[in-house]
Amino acid sequence: MFIETTDAGPTVEDVFWVLGGDDSGCVVPSEAEGMVELFERLQCLPGFNNQAVIEAMSCAENRTHVCWNRPGPSAAPKTGGR
């Protein structure tokens, strides 16, 4: 799981949570309804990296911030276009 930031803000959405599994995934804008509750649940994942979230929220450039990897062989995040 990672957060993708862009240099397009602050007048347009520029922070996206990218949640992915082996066969599917989704992209959630940081301003989406329910994001507070989702974030609280994500923080419960073992090994969740809050420092990556802090860095992402203060970033104003095109970057990928890895905040959690699933334990096991498929731990590397799959990055690519939105």
Side-chain angles (χ1 to χ4, degrees):
M1 169 191 345
F2 57 94
I3 301 169
E4 185 175 323
T5 57
T6 74
D7 60 2
T11 58
V12 297
E13 184 68 52
D14 62 344
V15 178
F16 303 90
W17 290 77
V18 182
L19 313 173
D22 291 334
D23 298 321
S24 64
C26 65
V27 176
V28 182
S30 67
E31 298 296 321
E33 185 175 333
M35 191 58 223
V36 170
E37 294 83 3
L38 176 60
F39 178 58
E40 289 171 353
R41 294 291 303 266
L42 295 175
Q43 284 184 300
C44 294
L45 294 169
F48 186 85
N49 184 349
N50 282 297
Q51 186 61 39
V53 177
I54 293 167
E55 291 172 8
M57 295 307 156
S58 62
C59 183
E61 53 191 53
N62 298 327
R63 276 192 56 202
T64 298
H65 310 264
V66 178
C67 50
W68 186 74
N69 281 316
R70 176 179 297 166
S74 62
K78 298 176 185 176
T79 60
R82 268 184 275 142

